[in-house]
Amino acid sequence: MASKNTPGMSNERLTKEERRQVAREKARLLQEMEAKRAKRNKIVTIVVAVLALVLVSFAVWQIVSKDPGQAKELGSYSGSVREVKADNVSDDGGVLFDQSGSATATESGKPVIGLWSDYMCPGCEHFEGNYGKLMADHSAAGDLQFKFYRVNTLGTDFSTKGATAFYYVAQYAPEKLWAFNKALMDYGMKIHAQSVGPNPSASDIADIAKSVGVPDDVVNDLPASIVDEKWQGLVAKTVEKFRANEYTGTPTLTVNGKADDSWTKGNPDEVVPQILNNAAGK
């Protein structure tokens, strides 16, 4: 007959002492499993805490190490500096517009009206505010082609960043350039009216671009791009052309590349339309 201690038999066949040993062994195994589980949980908790500490430390390092001035310029925009391209900028620093108001590198063959302006120039704001619609009408009619040059001859922060933004949008959102240029001129008027601060940040200018429909991805990279010295170099080159032409102030109006200041000597409301009509052959 088999012994009561034969392996595989139920606990009912074990002696009282043997059942106690089995219970103690089960309890020991459960304790070991619980200890291992607790150890794993402790390790996971430590790893998560370390990772969290690393991430927090990295965030703090970024905040501390970032130039406060640059952080203010970029605001909430996280984009990067785009490649400097000037496909729609002519050798003399001007940007042509087609009939739809989009920046273009294509000459239409029609007379070209050039306009050299600074976004902080009150006279420029007045000129484009008063005659912007007239110019847009001639452009849409296709009897004249307009060419805008943006300079920072007044040397203000907005002059530089605004002009740089003009060339940036001419490249990456050309179909929005006419509207963006008008919005920047309007903002200059607000500065002079003291309804906004005198030194808009690059992120403020990006907000202006967004308000006229410049695509979000282009807007996101605008702040970092327009404070970059390589992009600002496009404005510097245009100013060099301005000086080489011996122009002395803005706005400077040109017809087929030749300055016409007759509008400054008479009633502009009469002379400017006349200049445009004569150029268009009307």
Side-chain angles (χ1 to χ4, degrees):
M1 183 178 289
S3 168
K4 292 180 180 180
N5 296 331
T6 302
M9 289 189 174
S10 68
N11 285 348
E12 294 179 357
R13 305 284 299 275
L14 298 176
T15 66
K16 185 176 182 179
E17 179 59 29
E18 287 172 336
R19 286 197 296 272
R20 287 176 180 173
Q21 290 178 355
V22 170
R24 284 196 293 268
E25 181 63 17
K26 287 182 177 179
R28 185 186 67 79
L29 291 174
L30 287 173
Q31 287 177 343
E32 286 184 358
M33 291 174 63
E34 185 62 31
K36 290 179 180 178
R37 184 181 300 111
K39 186 177 181 179
R40 286 198 303 271
N41 290 342
K42 185 177 181 180
I43 291 173
V44 170
T45 301
I46 292 173
V47 170
V48 170
V50 170
L51 287 175
L53 181 61
V54 169
L55 291 173
V56 170
S57 298
F58 179 69
V60 171
W61 175 81
Q62 281 192 314
I63 293 171
V64 172
S65 62
K66 184 179 288 187
D67 180 355
Q70 184 182 37
K72 180 181 178 182
E73 287 287 1
L74 303 185
S76 62
Y77 294 99
S78 59
S80 56
V81 178
R82 290 203 176 190
E83 180 182 359
V84 178
K85 292 183 178 181
D87 298 336
N88 291 325
V89 182
S90 61
D91 291 340
D92 63 354
V95 176
L96 287 165
F97 289 89
D98 63 19
Q99 285 184 250
S100 70
S102 175
T104 180
T106 304
E107 295 183 358
S108 68
K110 297 298 182 178
V112 176
I113 303 297
L115 188 61
W116 301 71
S117 301
D118 184 311
Y119 286 119
M120 279 302 289
C121 160
C124 301
E125 296 160 7
H126 177 84
F127 189 96
E128 295 199 34
N130 283 9
Y131 311 117
K133 184 179 184 306
L134 179 62
M135 292 189 292
D137 289 345
H138 275 287
S139 179
D143 54 24
L144 293 174
Q145 188 169 27
F146 289 86
K147 192 174 191 179
F148 290 171
Y149 304 77
R150 293 299 171 254
V151 294
N152 61 343
T153 52
L154 293 181
T156 73
D157 190 52
F158 183 50
S159 298
T160 299
K161 288 186 296 196
T164 306
F166 173 85
Y167 289 110
Y168 170 84
V169 172
Q171 178 62 40
Y172 288 107
E175 71 285 354
K176 297 297 182 181
L177 188 60
W178 190 285
F180 181 54
N181 173 72
K182 181 182 184 304
L184 289 176
M185 280 293 175
D186 290 345
Y187 197 89
M189 292 181 186
K190 293 178 182 178
I191 292 176
H192 287 121
Q194 298 184 346
S195 59
V196 295
N199 297 307
S201 65
S203 63
D204 291 330
I205 295 174
D207 290 341
I208 296 171
K210 188 173 184 177
S211 73
V212 299
V214 173
D216 288 344
D217 63 317
V218 179
V219 171
N220 194 44
D221 290 338
L222 186 150
S225 298
I226 69 172
V227 297
D228 183 77
E229 61 180 10
K230 296 186 294 295
W231 272 103
Q232 292 186 359
L234 294 178
V235 182
K237 288 181 180 179
T238 306
V239 172
E240 289 177 5
K241 296 293 184 181
F242 182 84
R243 304 297 186 201
N245 290 337
E246 298 184 349
Y247 299 151
T248 58
T250 54
T252 292
L253 183 70
T254 65
V255 179
N256 293 324
K258 184 177 180 180
D260 186 339
D261 64 353
S262 60
W263 66 276
T264 66
K265 300 172 182 178
N267 181 351
D269 291 342
E270 295 179 357
V271 180
V272 171
Q274 186 178 37
I275 291 174
L276 300 184
N277 285 333
N278 288 343
K282 295 183 177 179

